[in-house]
Amino acid sequence: MIYGLSLSACLFAFWLLLSGYFEAFLVAAGAGSSVAVALFAHRMKVLDREGHPIHLSLRALTYWPWLGIEIIKSAWNVSRIILDPKLPISPTLVRFKPSQRTIVGLVTHANSITLTPGTITVEANEGEFLVHGLTKTGAQGCIDSEMDRRVTRFEGRA
Amino acid sequence: MAGLVDIASWICLVAGGFFSIVGTIGLNRMPDFFTRMHAASVTDTLGAGLVLLGLMLQAGWTLVMVKLVFLGLLMFFASPAAAHALAKAALARGLKPRLHEEDPSSKRS
Amino acid sequence: MFATVIIALLIALAFALLRAVLGPTVFDRVQAANSVGTISMLLLVAIGFLTDRPDFEDLAIVYGLLNVVGTFAVLKFFRHGDLGHSADETETS
């Protein structure tokens, strides 16, 4: 139920964002269609903890700023490598075991790795990630990393 | 105050444009497909993020700013998914990444 | 100042197009097309500010959404040969 309400609220906010008109009829039509879409999603059984994880939104507020700083740092490193005339790259594939247990946690971890420049998750299966890194140190830095611990804390005791 | 915000948005816009160019230069300099993806993700994250941030500072608290925030969130959630799908598809198709041990001298294509 | 960022983005666009033309494999071209999509999205927003027409932000949102969908569609096509491929079959291929 709470997921349905929150999905309706998100859809309604999206409607207001795209329309930009605040007449009574248009706002009412937007509210009606967002509730209808939430009901359809409920009937299709795609509305659950996984598809719409609002229980994580509070912890996301502490995780995302840290991720942003990480992205800036690694993007700076990759930019230096690109502009270096010698192009000091050492591409490496590493395979390791992430410590998350929920699907949301695993996806968050894999997406965070991909989002930081210099590392890309090539395969993300339960219990095993295959990560391609631009440099050897960068790729091996993904194993048992600070990010791993933070995502595990972020997903909580699910 | 307005001047300060202007200067901050100037810095963000110029840095964003710079990182976009750096990312695409890397797209051309890197020797193989997997390393090119790393260069492209510089454009996708830092370039796009800084340009959007600079424009947000210009927009002020309006509907335009909300739209820019939405665009930023879209990039934030969608671009790693696309990059992951691309890497996985390339590996499944049999494209072997050039690894450090096999080829110590960094050749260019 | 918006003109500056637009020129920078146009230079970046030229480099991305160069890779799309050169790219030896199809995945290089898809990656370059993805970058072109991102850059043109930013370009649209910047043009919206330059000409003071906020409608361009909506176009940019549509471009951003299409960029993702387009990348997935092209990838699916080149991986499986058709677009109507379900997720269950993907695992076995």
Side-chain angles (χ1 to χ4, degrees):
Chain A
M1 189 59 211
I2 185 94
Y3 294 102
L5 280 179
S6 133
L7 181 66
S8 313
C10 290
L11 288 171
F12 186 53
F14 186 48
W15 171 288
L16 285 183
L17 165 70
L18 289 186
S19 101
Y21 290 101
F22 294 96
E23 295 162 35
F25 170 69
L26 287 174
V27 170
S33 20
S34 20
V35 170
V37 171
L39 283 178
F40 290 152
H42 180 68
R43 257 181 74 88
M44 287 166 72
K45 298 193 187 351
V46 291
L47 187 62
D48 52 10
R49 287 172 71 85
E50 233 169 66
H52 193 60
I54 48 166
H55 54 285
L56 294 174
S57 46
L58 264 181
R59 281 192 292 252
L61 288 181
T62 58
Y63 177 65
W64 285 355
W66 177 82
L67 181 62
I69 293 170
E70 280 303 297
I71 288 173
I72 292 171
K73 276 197 284 193
S74 54
W76 176 245
N77 287 336
V78 173
S79 308
R80 281 219 327 248
I81 289 173
I82 290 171
L83 293 180
D84 194 311
K86 289 199 298 291
L87 209 65
I89 55 170
S90 48
T92 312
L93 277 173
V94 291
R95 213 175 263 282
F96 70 101
K97 210 171 145 42
S99 64
Q100 286 77 35
R101 275 153 300 148
T102 58
I103 301 286
V104 177
L106 285 170
V107 170
T108 310
H109 191 190
N111 265 8
S112 307
I113 289 176
T114 311
L115 207 49
T116 37
T119 45
I120 282 178
T121 321
V122 183
E123 270 172 27
N125 297 320
E126 225 165 318
E128 194 186 48
F129 280 5
L130 181 63
V131 171
H132 184 271
L134 185 56
T135 60
K136 198 168 181 178
T137 46
Q140 278 165 354
C142 283
I143 306 170
D144 294 330
S145 56
E146 171 81 18
M147 183 182 282
D148 196 12
R149 279 192 294 282
R150 275 184 189 261
V151 178
T152 307
R153 211 182 311 149
F154 165 75
E155 71 171 351
R157 305 165 303 281
Chain B
M1 189 58 206
L4 215 63
V5 171
D6 247 11
I7 291 168
S9 93
W10 233 114
I11 293 170
C12 284
L13 285 176
V14 170
F18 171 73
F19 280 112
S20 301
I21 295 179
V22 166
T24 46
I25 287 175
L27 204 58
N28 283 289
R29 277 196 74 189
M30 289 297 181
D32 85 323
F33 167 71
F34 286 90
T35 48
R36 274 174 211 142
M37 296 196 66
H38 298 301
S41 76
V42 174
T43 314
D44 272 3
T45 55
L46 205 55
L50 281 173
V51 170
L52 287 177
L53 187 67
L55 292 175
M56 270 179 223
L57 290 175
Q58 283 289 319
W61 299 101
T62 53
L63 194 66
V64 172
M65 181 179 182
V66 184
K67 278 178 189 168
L68 291 176
V69 171
F70 178 75
L71 263 179
L73 282 178
L74 183 70
M75 295 289 307
F76 183 78
F77 283 112
S79 78
H84 169 71
L86 198 54
K88 194 173 177 179
L91 201 73
R93 206 61 193 297
L95 202 67
K96 289 275 176 291
R98 175 184 299 191
L99 295 179
H100 183 49
E101 282 78 12
E102 299 164 10
D103 184 18
S105 66
S106 56
K107 276 185 238 155
R108 281 177 223 163
S109 62
Chain C
M1 66 190 274
F2 296 127
T4 323
V5 74
I6 285 176
I7 289 168
L9 287 173
L10 282 175
I11 295 170
L13 197 58
F15 280 123
L17 278 176
L18 184 65
R19 175 47 71 194
V21 172
L22 289 178
T25 67
V26 68
F27 298 107
D28 286 298
R29 293 180 214 268
V30 174
Q31 175 66 70
N34 198 7
S35 289
V36 169
T38 306
I39 294 167
S40 52
M41 187 189 87
L42 296 176
L43 203 58
L44 272 176
V45 185
I47 289 173
F49 273 81
L50 182 75
T51 56
D52 216 4
R53 284 167 66 187
D55 332 352
F56 275 95
E57 268 80 56
D58 297 324
L59 297 182
I61 289 176
V62 173
Y63 259 64
L65 290 168
L66 273 181
N67 192 14
V68 179
V69 177
T71 305
F72 277 112
V74 172
L75 280 180
K76 242 183 151 176
F77 186 76
F78 280 107
R79 241 185 105 176
H80 308 299
D82 69 307
L83 296 178
H85 204 88
S86 78
D88 316 327
E89 296 169 66
T90 310
E91 290 307 312
T92 57
S93 68

